């Protein structure tokens, strides 16, 4: 699971070496390319882990009769839980996948470069969590230490295709990053336009 | 744009236009409250339709002390100077108000110019505030140079003016209650500073934002210098205070806090709208997947086809016999009504012979 880190480390070393002999402009494009690659690796790692972990079956509660609860949330029976897996792209971005016999919980920490991205991410993910029923697999409250969490049960796997579920989660991760960046850009553009209009009043 | 950025009060303008355009004498007694602290009282009686009385109460700029309840002389002179033939100051002013004006509508022409005149009269509050600020600035003598003058227009929103040799510096300490507002406003101030220093707005006042108090405010009280969103500084030069630009500059400086708050509020609404739009796009893939799965499980719809052919295909032998019997009974009933001798047999044989039904599925080989 640490492969993405190794890749990033090796690429970083090569980058440092290349700095001395190569022009800086192509270096920036190379860096962008490497970052895109690291994102691909990160998402591929998550996808492969989900494919292995999404083998859920119906399992009634062992403690209460006629109850059927997601065991990953209760964590009362250790024999029904699998080892949690944490996949880190860097210190700011990570993914925690906790599996049990009848349910799976995925928690995501989204990158936040500055204060503005921080509040935008918080607002947007809180907005989505409040409307969790529309997503069906989204948890209303994220796990502590993470920005957003999904809870997939065996019932979801019966209603929906496993591959499509995994595609949805990976696509969701990409879309969130894209949306936060777009929001930040549009806010800055808007601020610039408003500032120009304000200063024009003096002229 | 928000109503408070307009110099003329829209509600007051509407009332004065109504009085001016009324065909018959009207009795009017309106109280108009704006922005929580501005109060207008308009009175017009039917016995004297050409005269109206306008009383105004507004917070004035103060130097950090208690609010003044009486207007200084120079302001009254400025107000009288707006339209001396139309406006007349009444002293003493009505109780509870700082200023009472008598407006003579007979001197306002009934043409397109009337709207412009009434708009100027409706901006009496802006005239008062601007002239007050102008007076404060001009009264600063050489001893007062480089000393910050603290002005309070609204409580908890003081700003500073520092008169220097070649310019006047206006410093706005910015404070917000919520952390989100602080972040949104900070990004706005950074953009404002960038745009202010760019080539496009080189004629506009130079704008600087800093998270720490500027050196000009050294020595001021700690309460005034404690902020969570930094300090915005405008450098006003002689170009911005010449002629008509002076009114614009003064009005913009007075409304800077309101402008920033309005921007923060509208940005929050903008973020909310964007999030709602994005929500639909994010949900769509999941619902499409669910729909596809449900479609796979639904049985395929069969083609309807022709009803008559269906009937023939589905007709069994017993059904055919039953139908034949019914038809025969019908014919017998008809037969009992009409009796034609010797014709009946021939008629029956020719016309009432029933065709033999056979299953459509059985094919007859054509020769």
């Amino acid at each position: 699971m640490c492969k993405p880190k190794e890749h990033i480390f090796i690429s970083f070393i090569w980058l440092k070496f290349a700095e001395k002999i190569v022009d800086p402009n192509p270096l920036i494009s190379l860096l962008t390319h490497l970052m895109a690659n690291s994102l691909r690796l990160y998402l591929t790692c998550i996808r492969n882990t989900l494919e292995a972990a999404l083998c859920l079956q119906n399992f009634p509660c062992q403690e209460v009769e006629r109850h059927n609860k997601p065991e990953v949330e209760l964590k009362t029976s250790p024999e029904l839980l699998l080892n949690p897996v944490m996949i880190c792209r860097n210190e700011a971005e990570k993914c925690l996948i906790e599996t049990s016999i009848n349910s799976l919980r995925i928690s995501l920490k989204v990158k936040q470069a500055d204060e503005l991205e921080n509040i935008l991410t918080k607002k947007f993910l809180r907005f989505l969590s409040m409307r969790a029923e529309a997503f069906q697999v989204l948890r209303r409250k994220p796990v502590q230490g993470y920005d957003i969490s999904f809870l997939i049960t065996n019932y979801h796997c019966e209603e929906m295709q496993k591959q499509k579920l995994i595609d949805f989660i990976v696509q969701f991760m990409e879309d969130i990053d894209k949306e936060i960046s777009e929001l930040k850009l549009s806010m800055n553009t808007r601020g610039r336009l408003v500032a120009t209009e304000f200063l024009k009043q003096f002229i | 744009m928000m109503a408070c950025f307009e110099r003329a009060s829209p509600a007051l303008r509407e009332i004065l236009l109504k009085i001016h355009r009324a065909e018959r004498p009207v009795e009017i007694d309106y109280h108009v409250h704006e922005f929580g602290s501005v109060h207008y009282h308009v009175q017009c009686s039917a016995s004297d339709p050409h005269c109206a009385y306008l009383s105004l109460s507004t917070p004035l700029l103060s130097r950090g002390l208690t609010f003044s309840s009486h207007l200084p002389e120079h302001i009254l002179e400025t107000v009288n100077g707006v339209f001396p033939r139309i406006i007349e100051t009444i002293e003493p002013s009505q109780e509870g108000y700082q200023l009472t004006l008598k407006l003579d509508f007979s001197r306002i022409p009934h043409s397109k110019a009337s709207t412009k005149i009434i708009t100027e009269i409706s901006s009496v509050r802006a005239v008062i505030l601007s002239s007050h600020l102008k007076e404060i600035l001009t009264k600063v003598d050489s001893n007062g140079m480089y000393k910050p003058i603290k002005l309070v227009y609204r409580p908890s929103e003081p700003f500073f003016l520092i008169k220097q040799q070649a310019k006047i510096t206006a410093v706005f300490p910015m404070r917000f209650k919520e952390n989100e507002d602080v972040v949104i406003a900070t990004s706005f101030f950074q953009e404002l500073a960038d745009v202010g220093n760019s080539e496009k707005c080189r004629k506009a006042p130079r704008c600087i934002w800093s998270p720490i108090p500027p050196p000009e405010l050294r020595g001021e009280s700690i309460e005034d210098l404690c902020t969570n969103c930094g300090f915005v500084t405008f450098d006003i030069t002689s170009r911005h205070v010449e002629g008509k630009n002076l009114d614009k500059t003064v009005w913009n400086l007075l409304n800077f806090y309101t402008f920033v708050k309005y921007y923060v509020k509208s940005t929050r609404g903008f973020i909310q709208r964007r999030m709602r739009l994005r929500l639909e796009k994010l949900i769509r893939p999941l619902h499409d997947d669910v729909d596809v799965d449900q479609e796979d499980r639904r049985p395929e719809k069969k083609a309807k086809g022709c009803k008559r052919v269906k009937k023939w295909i589905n007709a069994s032998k017993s059904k055919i016999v039953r139908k034949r019997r019914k038809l025969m009974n019908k014919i017998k009933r008809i037969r009992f009504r009409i009796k034609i001798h010797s014709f009946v047999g021939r008629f029956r044989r020719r016309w009432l012979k029933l065709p033999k039904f056979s299953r459509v599925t059985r094919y007859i080989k054509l020769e």
Side-chain angles (χ1 to χ4, degrees), chain B residues 109-127:
Chain B
H110 283 271
S111 61
K112 282 184 185 176
S114 62
T115 313
K116 200 178 168 189
I117 294 170
I118 287 174
T119 305
E120 286 287 331
I121 296 171
S122 308
S123 57
V124 62
R125 178 178 152 251
V127 168

Side-chain angles (χ1 to χ4, degrees), chain B residues 63-82:
Chain B
R63 295 209 193 195
L65 302 170
T66 52
F67 285 109
S68 160
S69 56
H70 299 287
L71 287 177
E73 276 301 316
H74 65 90
I75 291 178
L76 292 172
E77 282 168 17
T78 315
V79 169
N80 277 334
V82 173

Side-chain angles (χ1 to χ4, degrees), chain B residues 204-219:
Chain B
R206 196 165 144 260
C207 175
I208 304 163
W209 176 79
S210 74
I212 55 169
E216 290 96 340
L217 292 185
R218 212 170 284 164

Side-chain angles (χ1 to χ4, degrees), chain B residues 10 96 98 114 150 219 250 267 334 351:
Chain B
Q98 290 152 320
S114 62
K150 181 181 168 182
V250 162
T267 303
I334 295 166
W351 297 107

